[in-house]
Amino acid sequence: MEEVRDLMADFTRLNKLRMSYMYREFQREELTGPQLFILRELFLKEPRKLGDLAQAVHLSNSTVSGIVDRLERDGLVERKRDVQDRRAVWISTTSICQQLKKTKLDQINQEFYAGLEHAFTPEQFANCKSVVETLITHMEKKLEGLE
């Protein structure tokens, strides 16, 4: 049981380190950690409604609204009212943001992944991937109520 806790703690630590690395690299662009979380979610799927975005990053609607306000002010996202439901507002990235993603985020990811590739032998990488896939399958089954 202790090994499982340690392993999960290691995954949490790894994710925090990765996000700290990304945050450090993006500080030059004057983006905050929460802004990066919002942009990451939008890069995965856009446009998104504010409530959906808030749920995805586990923050309140008001907190996400403030973050989106600053991103909109900086020209990185835009809000558009739904033509069929005027109460609904869709948030999407702008061409400026897409260019930033292409020039900065993709480059950072490429360098990050290249570094990881050199840190493992192919066998170590395959073993690590297998363990992570097993953990994911286990958690998906738990969420579906199958285990």
Side-chain angles (χ1 to χ4, degrees), residues 116-130:
L116 280 179
E117 236 179 331
H118 291 63
F120 293 97
T121 66
E123 295 80 20
Q124 288 173 319
F125 184 78
N127 288 337
C128 186
K129 189 170 180 351
S130 176

Side-chain angles (χ1 to χ4, degrees), residues 133-146:
E133 287 172 351
T134 300
L135 286 168
I136 289 169
T137 300
H138 175 75
M139 289 307 301
E140 287 173 341
K141 286 180 180 177
K142 279 280 199 203
L143 285 171
E144 294 170 8
L146 299 176

Side-chain angles (χ1 to χ4, degrees), residues 7-99:
L7 178 63
M8 296 311 288
D10 287 344
F11 278 119
T12 300
R13 183 171 172 233
L14 175 62
N15 192 50
K16 285 180 180 179
L17 288 167
R18 184 178 140 308
M19 291 311 296
S20 293
Y21 171 77
M22 296 296 283
Y23 177 68
R24 185 191 73 198
E25 294 299 312
F26 268 94
Q27 276 184 318
R28 297 178 196 122
E29 304 299 325
E30 298 183 9
L31 289 170
T32 66
Q35 288 172 326
L36 286 174
F37 289 137
I38 297 298
L39 290 177
R40 181 190 67 194
E41 287 301 320
L42 287 171
F43 291 147
L44 292 173
K45 179 184 174 192
E46 66 175 302
R48 306 261 300 256
K49 290 182 182 177
L50 186 94
D52 296 337
L53 201 51
Q55 188 175 15
V57 295
H58 306 287
L59 295 171
S60 70
N61 284 4
S62 59
T63 299
V64 171
S65 182
I67 296 166
V68 169
D69 285 345
R70 289 184 291 283
L71 289 168
E72 187 176 32
R73 179 198 66 210
D74 294 340
L76 298 174
V77 301
E78 60 187 1
R79 289 178 165 107
K80 289 185 182 171
R81 289 223 175 266
D82 190 308
V83 292
Q84 296 186 6
D85 180 359
R86 301 289 297 158
R87 296 169 296 170
V89 177
W90 294 92
I91 301 163
S92 58
T93 59
T94 63
S95 58
I96 294 169
C97 187
Q98 287 299 321
Q99 185 62 32

